[in-house]
Amino acid sequence: MNPAAELDLELLDRLVAAGGLPVEVGGLIAADAGGEAGLESSLDGLRRAGYTIEQVHPHGSAALRLLRTPDRLYAHEVRRRLTTRWIGARIVSLDLCSSTNDVARDLARAGAPSGTLVLAEAQAAGRGRAGRVWHSVPGAGIYLSLIYRPPEPPPSLAVLQFTTGVAVAHAAMKKVGKPGQLRWPNDLLFAGCKAAGLLAEAIETDEGTALVIGIGLNVNHLDEDFPDDLRGVATSLRLVSGHALDRIDALTTLLCSLEEWYDRMAAGDTDALAAAWRPLSSLIGKVVVLTRGTGETRGVVVDLHPARGILLESDSGEEAWIPAERVTFIRPVVTAK
Ligand code: BTN
């Protein structure tokens, strides 16, 4: 069970509002419907959820002081610090689930509103693109799924992925202060190693098509947290920046960035998106082999555009836009100089 399920959030709010200063127990007992016993049980609950609260005796009277908030993505902590308008309208925070995308899919089918956010400390069966596994180290990353019910006309999955990639990249770069790159369609790389990936799925519901956007962001992972096959290939914001990050701060930065870019996407401004994507792309100017179904085309990537796709100059010198949804894979070709 999630230890935050039954927390006395009123008591917590009073302690938080005091900004680390002591709050007199007498006043807290008076505010608690259960009196002294109620306060004791509320304190037990908060401590079990990881809050460090100490008893102090300033001027001889008993008081309580909040010393430490746990490193957990509790819904009430996220809400406290979130400044978005619609993302996070509802927040479901879980200790463990199979995949946040699966939980979000079920919630979307049950009518959950746009902006509903599912967070998990760990996933037993985190999914990546193309049937791959997303390795979810407990408590180290941000594993989230967002339900988005877009206004008409809805964006294509390709546009949605472009937009999400840009939003994730901007938020992560802001946190680490280093340049990142987007590897088509939307892996976030720092110095060639992957720090985030995303998996967007369209779900049919009674209220129309809902989009579920799953994002996995490696935040406080150390090298030894990654399985052998990911060492040297995966990275985290901590490894990139050289310091551990406050995960709630990283999450709220990410959600603000997503809301800003989704609002732009809803306004149909795909050129602004393209302009933001271009400098982040790891592919522009590179020779690649592009797979479409069973066919392969080799050429230089001249440009990328969320609505038009990939502009490829083939070996024969012809340029053509290839719609992103037709492309299954792009492999950069290492050319000898
Ligand atoms: C990829 O890089 O292939 C996509 C990875 C997406 C991982 C996230 S973690 C939260 C959400 N739940 C999942 O099962 N997958 C996405």
Side-chain angles (χ1 to χ4, degrees), residues 98-102 123 125-130 132 134 136 142-145 186-187 194 196-199 214-217:
S98 55
S99 152
T100 53
N101 266 35
D102 294 347
Q123 300 181 109
R127 295 188 275 116
R129 292 181 67 246
R132 284 189 286 262
W134 181 261
S136 318
I142 292 175
Y143 316 116
L144 73 82
S145 296
N186 40 39
D187 289 347
K194 180 163 166 172
L198 55 115
L199 179 67
I215 301 173
L217 174 62

Side-chain angles (χ1 to χ4, degrees), residues 15 64 76 100 105 112 146 148 155:
L15 295 173
L64 295 171
H76 59 269
T100 53
R105 178 200 56 213
L146 171 69
Y148 179 50

Side-chain angles (χ1 to χ4, degrees), residues 10-229:
E10 259 175 54
L11 170 60
L12 181 61
D13 283 348
R14 291 176 73 113
L15 295 173
V16 170
L21 295 174
V23 183
E24 291 228 356
V25 167
L28 294 174
I29 292 175
D32 195 308
E36 199 172 337
L39 178 64
E40 273 309 315
S41 120
S42 297
L43 273 175
D44 274 359
L46 288 172
R47 287 182 173 135
R48 265 198 311 276
Y51 291 88
T52 309
I53 300 163
E54 73 165 5
Q55 283 252 22
V56 284
H57 300 277
H59 326 294
S61 64
L64 295 171
R65 196 151 72 108
L66 176 62
L67 285 187
R68 203 183 68 88
T69 299
D71 176 18
R72 298 282 297 259
L73 301 180
Y74 286 141
H76 59 269
E77 293 295 346
V78 176
R79 223 172 272 126
R80 196 196 298 289
R81 291 163 65 179
L82 196 58
T83 55
T84 47
R85 282 181 301 106
W86 60 271
I87 289 189
R90 183 170 158 195
I91 303 177
V92 176
S93 164
L94 305 164
D95 283 347
L96 173 69
C97 64
S98 55
S99 152
T100 53
N101 266 35
D102 294 347
V103 176
R105 178 200 56 213
D106 295 346
L107 288 171
R109 286 196 181 132
S114 194
T116 298
L117 191 65
V118 180
L119 300 165
E121 291 293 340
Q123 300 181 109
R127 295 188 275 116
R129 292 181 67 246
R132 284 189 286 262
V133 168
W134 181 261
H135 189 72
S136 318
V137 177
I142 292 175
Y143 316 116
L144 73 82
S145 296
L146 171 69
I147 298 176
Y148 179 50
R149 297 185 186 274
E152 289 293 327
S156 67
L157 270 188
V159 169
L160 180 81
Q161 289 181 356
F162 250 81
T163 310
T164 311
V166 168
V168 173
H170 280 201
M173 291 191 304
K174 189 169 173 187
K175 287 292 114 196
V176 299
K178 300 231 169 102
Q181 280 199 312
L182 285 170
R183 180 171 61 196
W184 189 92
N186 40 39
D187 289 347
L188 173 64
L189 310 179
F190 284 99
C193 294
K194 180 163 166 172
L198 55 115
L199 179 67
E201 296 172 312
I203 312 286
E204 290 315 317
T205 73
D206 290 346
E207 294 78 17
T209 305
L211 300 164
V212 168
I213 303 102
I215 301 173
L217 174 62
N218 298 334
V219 181
N220 283 329
H221 300 54
L222 295 170
D223 268 328
E224 56 265 34
D225 291 326
F226 295 113
D228 287 351
D229 57 328

